[in-house]
Amino acid sequence: KKTPSDYRTMITNPPYSDDHKEKCLRFALGQLRNHGKSFLLLLPNYIATKDYYRNIISMKDGSEPNDIIYIIPSSPYEYDHPEGTGK
């Protein structure tokens, strides 16, 4: 059975509930920095304001990351949340 670590690139839109975003980001950065495996994550922009985000993306020496590229759509889009979610 293959696992995410078996692939060269991870592309995902992780669940936004609980700590899935943090775990996915931590895993993706670990794969990039330890194994050279790229990733694309579809995440809401508010993630960049979270303390865990800054902690995860920071380089070991505390400097700003130089190994992440942000792709931003040219036109806005909206997420549609199922009833009772996305609060």
Side-chain angles (χ1 to χ4, degrees), residues 31-85:
Q31 291 294 300
L32 173 67
R33 293 183 177 156
N34 298 322
H35 306 289
K37 295 183 178 187
S38 57
F39 65 90
L40 292 116
L41 302 178
L42 178 60
L43 296 168
N45 61 354
Y46 69 81
I47 296 301
T49 67
K50 302 294 185 184
D51 288 337
Y52 70 78
Y53 176 80
R54 298 301 307 167
N55 291 333
I56 292 170
I57 68 164
S58 293
M59 303 302 284
K60 288 184 180 182
D61 64 3
S63 65
E64 289 294 314
N66 60 2
D67 55 355
I68 299 174
I69 298 171
Y70 297 91
I71 300 172
I72 302 167
S74 59
S75 59
Y77 59 93
E78 295 181 19
Y79 293 94
D80 290 328
H81 296 284
E83 187 67 32
T85 67

Side-chain angles (χ1 to χ4, degrees), residues 3-5 7-17 19-29 31 37-44 47 71 77 79:
T3 68
S5 297
Y7 297 95
R8 292 188 47 86
T9 302
M10 179 175 71
I11 301 172
T12 188
N13 176 13
Y16 294 167
S17 59
D19 60 353
H20 292 109
K21 299 176 297 293
E22 181 178 356
K23 285 180 178 179
C24 187
L25 186 60
R26 191 173 304 281
F27 176 81
L29 258 293
Q31 291 294 300
K37 295 183 178 187
S38 57
F39 65 90
L40 292 116
L41 302 178
L42 178 60
L43 296 168
I47 296 301
I71 300 172
Y77 59 93
Y79 293 94

